[in-house]
């Protein structure tokens, strides 16, 4: 077999990556609902199997699974819609507070910089005009993506209905000696998707309760709306919780006279993020999507470039699925290792290790004090 120089291999891989990227962008209308449908079908497979054990035909069981999914989505949508309507009804009051606070800020800036309010507004308009095209482009891309949402239940139904045929297809395209590996990959992907999606719903509920309760205690207006919004957009790693925190800090700054309220809101979201990242998500979602932070960040960036906000949501489980395949194929295992999380060791940061180090520091300090005391005596 002919061996090619390394620069030819790198060039080929770069061209392949560019072709794949362009294909994903152009096929967004087809692939986005298909990926969603596949993930939902894997999540609903245990329910479909349970219904079929009762003697119900697969077509009817698949339809019932779609009904269950629609009820859950409708419930979440109704909960969010109620909070949005409540927020919109209070918008005149919020706008009045914002105008008064804006005037106060303008007067403060004028005192500090001698810049008139008219000049401040013109400067702000210039900045907004430069970012307006980017915002409108993102909004239109997101709207076109969600226009395909009607296809998701259809794809989910057929994925459930033909799941045995799809399983046999993977058997037929692989050699018989590799069937055991194929079975392991399929089972691990099923476990990953089911754990990830069901865990996300639970984490979403917990974050909503924590943030809503904390904002209520601080006294921030629209606490329930902001808490529910934080729970929902937390599905976008890192960026979701940051966006919710920014909006909550802005509202607390505008609507509340307290100067410390925004600080407490920021601390609330910081503590919530630490709890979610180190305790809640690892114990509920588990380590099924065990990709490291760098891989997650790259997945977010590439997903945003390919499919916008929807890509930021989908690319995390997609990279997790890719890692499962890489781990189970011998010559691709190094790439799976590159995506994996760091194992608990001397370079990893854990709650238990942090407490142990703190305890060691205090014990060393106390020993030094004891030694000084004994010398003095």
């Amino acid at each position: 077999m002919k061996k090619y120089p390394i620069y030819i291999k790198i060039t080929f891989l770069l061209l392949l990556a560019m072709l794949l990227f362009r294909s994903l962008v152009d096929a967004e209308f087809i692939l986005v609902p298909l990926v969603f449908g596949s993930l939902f079908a894997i999540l609903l497979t245990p329910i479909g199997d349970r219904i079929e054990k009762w003697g119900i035909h697969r077509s009817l069981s698949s339809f019932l699974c779609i009904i269950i999914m629609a009820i859950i989505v409708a419930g979440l949508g109704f909960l969010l819609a109620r909070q949005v309507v409540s927020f919109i009804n209070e918008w005149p009051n919020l706008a009045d507070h914002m105008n008064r606070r804006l005037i106060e800020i303008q007067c403060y800036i004028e005192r500090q910089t001698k810049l008139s309010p008219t000049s401040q507004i013109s400067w702000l308009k210039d900045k907004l005009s430069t970012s307006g095209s980017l915002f409108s482009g993102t909004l239109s891309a997101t709207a076109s993506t969600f226009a395909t949402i009607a296809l998701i239940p259809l794809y989910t139904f057929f994925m459930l209905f033909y799941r045995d045929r799809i399983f046999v297809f993977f058997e037929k395209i692989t050699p018989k000696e590799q069937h055991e590996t194929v079975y392991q990959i399929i089972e691990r992907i099923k476990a990953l998707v089911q754990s990830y999606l069901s865990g996300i719903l639970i984490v979403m509920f917990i974050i909503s309760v924590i943030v809503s309760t904390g904002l209520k205690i601080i006294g921030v207006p629209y606490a329930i709306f902001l808490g529910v919004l934080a729970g929902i957009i937390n599905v976008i790693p890192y960026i979701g919780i940051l966006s919710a925190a920014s909006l909550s800090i802005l509202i607390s700054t505008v609507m509340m006279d307290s100067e410390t309220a925004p600080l407490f809101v920021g601390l609330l979201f910081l503590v919530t993020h630490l709890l979610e990242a180190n305790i809640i998500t690892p114990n509920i979602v588990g380590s099924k999507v065990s990709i490291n932070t760098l891989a997650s960040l790259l997945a977010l960036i590439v997903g945003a470039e390919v499919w916008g906000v929807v890509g930021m949501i989908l690319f995390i489980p997609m990279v997790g699925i890719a890692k499962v395949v890489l781990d189970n194929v011998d010559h691709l295992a190094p790439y799976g290792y590159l995506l994996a999380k760091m194992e608990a060791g001397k370079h990893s940061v854990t709650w238990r290790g942090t407490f142990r180090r703190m305890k060691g520091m205090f014990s060393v300090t106390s020993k030094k004090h004891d030694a000084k005391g004994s010398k003095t005596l």
Side-chain angles (χ1 to χ4, degrees):
M1 184 177 179
K2 185 178 179 180
K3 292 185 177 180
Y4 294 96
I6 185 66
Y7 62 87
I8 294 181
K9 294 180 181 180
I10 293 176
T11 304
F12 176 77
L13 288 175
L14 290 175
L15 290 174
L16 184 63
M18 293 174 62
L19 179 62
L20 177 62
F21 183 87
R22 188 70 252 176
S23 300
L24 289 173
V25 173
D26 293 337
E28 177 183 356
F29 179 79
I30 300 172
L31 293 179
V32 167
L34 182 61
V35 174
F36 269 119
S38 302
L39 295 177
F40 285 134
I42 294 174
L43 177 65
L44 296 171
T45 294
I47 300 176
D49 292 339
R50 178 65 60 88
I51 294 174
E52 288 177 24
K53 288 181 179 179
W54 299 340
I56 298 177
H57 192 266
R58 171 158 294 185
S59 58
L60 182 57
S61 70
S62 301
F63 180 74
L64 291 175
C65 288
I66 301 300
I67 296 297
I68 293 172
M69 182 183 74
I71 291 173
I72 296 174
V73 173
L76 293 174
F78 176 74
L79 179 62
L80 180 62
R82 282 191 60 184
Q83 300 303 319
V84 170
V85 169
S86 175
F87 184 75
I88 292 175
N89 291 336
E90 294 291 333
W91 177 253
N93 185 29
L94 177 61
D96 183 54
H97 278 276
M98 289 180 65
N99 288 331
R100 281 187 290 173
R101 187 55 61 92
L102 180 61
I103 292 172
E104 293 176 2
I105 293 173
Q106 285 179 337
C107 293
Y108 176 78
I109 294 175
E110 185 178 9
R111 289 195 302 268
Q112 298 296 323
T113 64
K114 307 301 181 183
L115 193 65
S116 66
T118 305
S119 302
Q120 297 174 29
I121 294 174
S122 62
W123 178 84
L124 186 61
K125 285 182 178 179
D126 292 338
K127 293 299 180 181
L128 290 176
S129 62
T130 57
S131 60
S133 58
L134 177 62
F135 176 75
S136 60
T138 304
L139 188 62
S140 61
T142 304
S144 64
T145 299
F146 280 101
T148 64
I149 197 170
L151 292 174
I152 295 176
L154 192 63
Y155 284 134
T156 304
F157 174 83
F158 284 113
M159 287 288 180
L160 286 168
F161 186 76
Y162 291 117
R163 59 183 183 272
D164 289 343
R165 186 174 291 269
I166 295 172
F167 184 81
V168 173
F169 164 77
F170 286 114
E171 280 187 335
K172 289 182 176 293
I173 63 173
T174 54
K176 185 173 293 186
E177 60 272 13
Q178 296 182 1
H179 282 181
E180 189 63 31
T181 302
V182 172
Y183 301 151
Q184 291 179 2
I185 292 175
I186 292 175
E187 289 302 318
R188 290 181 181 178
I189 290 176
K190 286 171 60 178
L192 181 150
V193 173
Q194 291 167 4
S195 172
Y196 182 73
L197 294 182
S198 60
I200 276 181
L201 293 176
I202 299 172
V203 171
M204 188 185 300
F205 174 76
I206 294 174
I207 296 298
S208 299
V209 171
I210 292 175
V211 174
S212 298
T213 304
L215 293 178
K216 274 284 188 183
I217 294 172
I218 297 171
V220 179
Y222 321 113
I224 297 178
F225 167 74
L226 295 172
V228 173
L229 183 64
I232 291 175
I233 65 176
N234 186 65
V235 72
I236 305 175
Y238 312 117
I239 297 175
I241 195 71
L242 180 61
S243 302
S246 301
L247 179 60
S248 301
I249 292 173
L250 176 63
I251 290 180
S252 64
T253 304
V254 172
M255 298 292 293
M256 301 178 69
D257 296 328
S258 173
E259 296 180 355
T260 59
L263 176 61
F264 286 126
V265 172
L267 289 174
L268 170 65
F269 276 92
L270 177 61
V271 172
T272 302
H273 175 64
L274 292 175
L275 289 174
E276 182 267 332
N278 294 283
I279 297 176
I280 299 174
T281 297
N283 285 282
I284 295 177
V285 179
S287 58
K288 299 294 184 181
V289 189
S290 54
I291 58 177
N292 58 53
T293 306
L294 176 60
S296 301
L297 185 61
L298 289 174
L300 287 176
I301 295 172
V302 174
E305 287 294 323
V306 175
W307 292 337
V309 176
V310 176
M312 297 173 72
I313 298 172
L314 289 179
F315 267 58
I316 295 293
M318 288 173 63
V319 172
I321 292 172
K323 181 183 176 300
V324 171
V325 177
L326 295 173
D327 287 339
N328 287 273
V329 178
D330 291 337
H331 64 281
L332 297 177
Y335 300 98
Y337 173 79
L338 187 63
L339 297 175
K341 284 184 178 180
M342 182 183 293
E343 296 181 1
K346 63 179 181 179
H347 297 294
S348 61
V349 179
T350 61
W351 289 103
R352 185 176 297 177
T354 302
F355 288 136
R356 186 169 57 248
R357 293 186 188 97
M358 292 176 64
K359 184 179 179 181
M361 290 171 60
F362 285 115
S363 63
V364 169
T365 304
S366 62
K367 287 179 181 178
K368 288 181 178 178
H369 284 296
D370 292 341
K372 290 181 180 179
S374 61
K375 290 178 180 179
T376 304
L377 292 174

